[in-house]
Amino acid sequence: MGEDSRLTAVVALAQSMAAAQNAREAWKAAATGARRALGGSFAALSVWERELGRLRVLVNVGELAEGEEEFPENESYPVHQFAEITEFLHERWAGGGEPDAWVETAEGTAAGRPGYCHQRVAALRRRGRGCCVVAPIVLHGRAWGELYVARPVGAPVFGRSDADFATVLAAVVAAGIAQTERLEEARRLAYTDALTGLANRRAVDARLDEAIERHRRDGAVVSLVVCDLNGLKRVNDTLGHAVGDRLLERFGTVLSLCGATLPGALAARLGGDEFCLLAVGPPADEVVKAADQVCRRAVELGLGDGVACGVASTGDPIGPVHSARRLFRLADAAQYRAKAQRLDHPVVAGREGPDDPVVRLADEPMGEAGHGERRRFRGRHAP
């Protein structure tokens, strides 16, 4: 490959990683771009998990051997099988060397470099590959993992220039991974409540829209628990906002613990003293049980005056739910009733017969007379 072709390959790799929407897409773009740039039949991207002492494969692309998966869940190797990770990267590099790529072949060492580990050679033979080039990935000044590209038996063996080019590609991959990590962190912050660490309103809106679409498509049960923390204003006024924040944090922990009984449930703070649990899949009765635990544990906090809880689930007789707005209004109405009646247990929409007052309250227009005492539903979910 000429210099112009290699430059084009580097630019394409950088662009494909920059266009990735998440970490998985970035990993695949890195491995795919490197495989194409080096003329390989297979490529993998792996991360060094120091705390577990292993090299874990993130993605495999190209011609996969038997047992290899694109995004493997459990493909990892103890670092003692790959001495170069600790010996080369930590000793030679720390001593002033560079984290250059190297070549291994199924016949043994190639490209004028000493081989690092017989495991590489054994793996090449086992998977029917003739040679590979391994390029360390360095991120924030530390060894992050490796880029691995292989060719089949009978194909030209990688040379020194290929190894040098792989070193350049690894640097581009490192820059792309760093960008992806920054974007992932920005997304995490954008969807996280800073005080409690729970999901925020934006995260709930996005997840609920997806959940309702799944409900419409395949009938999945979608349940929403809306909670209003009682007595927060009194705590703020008499004990100070620091204590009020502590109450919010402690209730957030309670909500998270109770939500953990519902597989995949999202615990969130909507804002102020309002929280919610969103569950997709569990039966309505299981969600009500979790909401009841929330009510009981909130009383045990010792601060505030417990919590008012409302539940709305497509598993109950609440009528068709075609939008996130309607489910939110139903849960809101149930929570409003629990608060107005000072109940210490959740109110569940649709469980009081054909003329259920919660369903009627949620579905009546906001402007009708008789709603003077009803608290205003959140703007986005008003009809």
Side-chain angles (χ1 to χ4, degrees), residues 228-278:
D228 192 286
L229 192 57
N230 297 325
L232 178 63
K233 184 177 186 306
R234 177 184 60 76
V235 171
N236 284 333
D237 291 345
T238 60
L239 301 176
H241 285 272
V243 178
D245 286 349
R246 188 158 70 248
L247 172 59
L248 291 168
E249 291 178 287
R250 291 176 63 183
F251 179 71
T253 300
V254 165
L255 189 67
S256 180
L257 289 172
C258 295
T261 65
L262 304 170
L266 181 72
R269 181 187 177 202
L270 299 173
D273 57 3
E274 290 186 321
F275 293 76
C276 81
L277 273 177
L278 171 60

Side-chain angles (χ1 to χ4, degrees), residues 207-208 210-212 214-215 220-223 262-266 278-283 287:
R207 183 77 67 88
L208 186 54
E210 294 173 359
I212 295 299
R214 182 177 164 189
H215 169 70
V221 175
V222 181
S223 304
L262 304 170
L266 181 72
L278 171 60
V280 183
V287 177

Side-chain angles (χ1 to χ4, degrees), residues 11-23 25-26 29 176 179-180 183 187:
V11 172
L13 172 58
Q15 289 177 337
S16 62
M17 291 195 72
Q21 297 299 306
N22 53 53
E25 288 186 11
Q179 176 186 346
T180 300
L183 290 174
R187 291 190 185 104

Side-chain angles (χ1 to χ4, degrees), residues 226-230 295 306-310 335-336 338-340 343 345:
V226 172
C227 308
D228 192 286
L229 192 57
N230 297 325
C295 291
V307 66
C309 248
Q335 185 276 131
Y336 170 76
K339 195 174 190 71
L343 300 178
H345 61 270

Side-chain angles (χ1 to χ4, degrees), residues 67-114:
E68 289 179 329
E69 300 176 356
E70 183 177 39
F71 291 105
E73 292 186 7
N74 300 304
E75 186 180 353
S76 61
Y77 306 93
V79 293
H80 70 263
Q81 294 183 359
F82 297 90
E84 68 273 12
I85 293 178
T86 53
E87 294 177 6
F88 177 72
L89 287 179
H90 276 219
E91 294 180 13
R92 300 194 183 189
W93 182 24
E98 292 295 326
D100 294 334
W102 68 91
V103 174
E104 300 282 355
T105 77
E107 302 301 322
T109 307
R113 282 215 176 241

Side-chain angles (χ1 to χ4, degrees), residues 321-337:
V321 177
H322 298 306
S323 68
R325 178 182 66 188
R326 183 165 189 269
L327 193 66
F328 234 126
R329 284 178 58 79
L330 284 160
D332 253 347
Q335 185 276 131
Y336 170 76
R337 191 161 191 240

